[in-house]
């Protein structure tokens, strides 16, 4: 018998904006804190406090998820041989789900930026701004900071850009995202302030993009902070190659937490043995998308049965870099590559004793059941386990089932993907998840994220 879970834009030339270069000091080794450097920060969902109902929050998150997933998967539409070149030009998506606060400049001016594990660049919109998008705070004004320094064209940070430009010895960046969003301006060094009051730290000479020409949406933020694996990401620049987060449900008013450097540890997360042991799985490098966090997914179990899925379905295509399995904080629901999704869907249909709803063209979710169940009918739902190399992620019920605001049905919070698998944040809410770049490991453990 199966085991069952508990019941229920085109850019204008940026050269007009630039002034002469000013020398800047490099970031000190270790990010100014050595091995003990770190901080804690609060993460807010992008729609928090906006007055949306739970149904509206869910609908907006699923819609953003579809847009981001479509750009993450867009390599599949490219001609053979073009994927790696295109991936180096395009950052795959600009939308995100969580905002973190950071101070920029001296004295610091505080901004909320989208945390993105799928890209590297740290940037905000700067004055003078010829083309900018809406944001809740004034644009950062470099002339008001004592520590702002534009970077020269021969700097290591400038050479780390995919497409660096040079004007009067100033490094100019252009960053394109896969969803038509973009940013362009001056690459500069500045002092950044991170963390809550108890752990607040000021770090000098962080390289960032001071954007004068921007397009797209910042989802209630004032910029982006890349947590990817490239040299311009915050993780790489601060020299403490580890961070963790514990995401509360985005339907909850309780914010989530981010831990960086020395504060990123799972050792004291689970006070109860019932939470299970910490599990770890190695990251996999995809040469086509080296900044992203790929994992070796090996299978999926539904209701205690390991589904008959060839592990190659989850693997990276060595010829062009397509496929593979990404863990991504900026995608809400999980997208599973065919034919694995078909197997998961078939398992749910066979194990749940409720009428299946017909999917509409507007709905992202297509494994939905009539809800609520008839009076006095007992209902059990099959448990779901994601299998990785060396680790099994057993999902709590609330991490894979939801009531869809479009259909009103009880739906599997997963969808089909034409290229690759994306493990979204809905599936790792109420897990404490650690990214250890030094040892190239992802670790996780169930956790009451609203309490820690």
């Amino acid at each position: 018998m199966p085991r069952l879970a508990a019941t229920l834009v085109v850019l204008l030339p940026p050269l007009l904006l630039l002034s002469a270069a000013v020398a800047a000091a490099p970031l000190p080794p270790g990010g100014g804190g050595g091995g003990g450097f770190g901080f804690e920060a609060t993460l807010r969902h992008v729609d928090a406090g906006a007055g949306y109902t739970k149904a509206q929050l869910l609908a907006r998150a699923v819609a953003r998820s579809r847009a981001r997933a479509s750009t993450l998967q867009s390599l599949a539409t490219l001609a053979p041989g073009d994927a790696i070149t295109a991936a180096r030009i395009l950052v795959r998506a600009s939308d995100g789900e969580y905002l973190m606060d950071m101070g920029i400049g001296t004295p610091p001016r505080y901004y909320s930026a989208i945390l993105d594990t799928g890209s590297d660049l740290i940037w905000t919109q700067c004055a003078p701004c010829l083309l900018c998008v809406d944001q809740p705070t004034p644009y950062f004004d470099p002339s008001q900071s004592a520590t702002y320094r534009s970077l020269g064209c021969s700097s290591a940070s400038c050479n780390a850009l995919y497409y660096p430009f040079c004007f009067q010895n100033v490094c100019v960046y252009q960053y394109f995202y896969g969803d038509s969003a973009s940013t362009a301006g001056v690459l500069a060094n500045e002092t950044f302030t991170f963390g809550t009051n108890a752990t607040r730290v000021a770090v000098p000479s962080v390289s960032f993009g001071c954007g004068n020409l921007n397009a797209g949406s910042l989802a209630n933020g004032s910029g982006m902070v890349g947590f990817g694996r490239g040299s311009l990401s915050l993780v790489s620049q601060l020299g403490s190659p580890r961070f963790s987060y514990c995401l509360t449900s985005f339907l909850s008013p309780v914010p989530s937490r981010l831990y960086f450097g020395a504060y990123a540890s799972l050792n004291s997360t689970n006070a109860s043995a019932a939470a299970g042991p910490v599990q770890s799985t190695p990251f996999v490098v995809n040469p086509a998308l080296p900044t992203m966090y790929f994992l070796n997914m090996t299978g999926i179990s539904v209701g205690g049965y390991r589904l008959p899925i060839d592990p190659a379905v989850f693997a990276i295509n060595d010829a062009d870099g397509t496929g593979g399995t990404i863990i991504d904080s900026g995608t809400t629901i999980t997208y599973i590559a065919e034919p694995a999704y078909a197997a998961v869907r078939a398992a749910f249909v066979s194990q749940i004793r409720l009428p299946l709803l017909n999917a509409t063209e507007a709905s992202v979710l297509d494994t939905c059941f009539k809800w609520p169940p008839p009076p006095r009918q007992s209902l059990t739902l099959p448990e779901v386990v994601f299998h990785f190399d060396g680790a099994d992620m057993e999902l709590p019920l609330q991490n894979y089932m939801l009531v869809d605001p479009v259909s009103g049905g009880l739906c599997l919070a997963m969808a089909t993907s034409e290229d690759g698998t994306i493990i979204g944040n809905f599936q790792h809410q109420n897990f404490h998840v650690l990214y250890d770049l030094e040892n190239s490991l992802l670790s996780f453990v169930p956790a009451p994220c609203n309490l820690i």
Side-chain angles (χ1 to χ4, degrees), residues 75 79-85 88 284-289 294-296 311-325 419-420:
L75 286 176
D82 289 345
I84 291 178
T85 300
R88 288 172 179 162
V284 178
V285 176
N286 182 350
L289 293 167
F294 282 83
L295 304 173
N296 182 13
V313 172
F314 303 113
I316 300 167
N317 185 330
D318 292 335
D320 60 9
T322 58
T325 301
D419 174 51

Side-chain angles (χ1 to χ4, degrees), residues 109-181:
R109 289 163 175 83
Y110 286 89
Y111 301 86
S112 291
I114 298 171
L115 185 152
D116 186 15
T117 55
S119 65
D120 294 332
L121 188 68
I122 306 161
W123 65 273
T124 190
Q125 300 189 110
C126 287
C129 207
L130 292 189
L131 180 64
C132 280
V133 300
D134 291 338
Q135 68 176 48
T137 55
Y139 305 135
F140 176 70
D141 188 348
S143 68
Q144 300 300 308
S145 173
T147 46
Y148 177 88
R149 300 290 185 271
S150 58
L151 286 173
C153 305
S154 61
S155 65
S157 293
C158 189
N159 290 328
L161 293 168
Y162 293 132
Y163 266 118
F165 291 90
C166 192
F167 178 72
Q168 296 182 355
N169 296 321
V170 175
C171 183
V172 180
Y173 77 93
Q174 294 192 47
Y175 223 56
F176 300 86
Y177 293 83
D179 54 0
S180 300

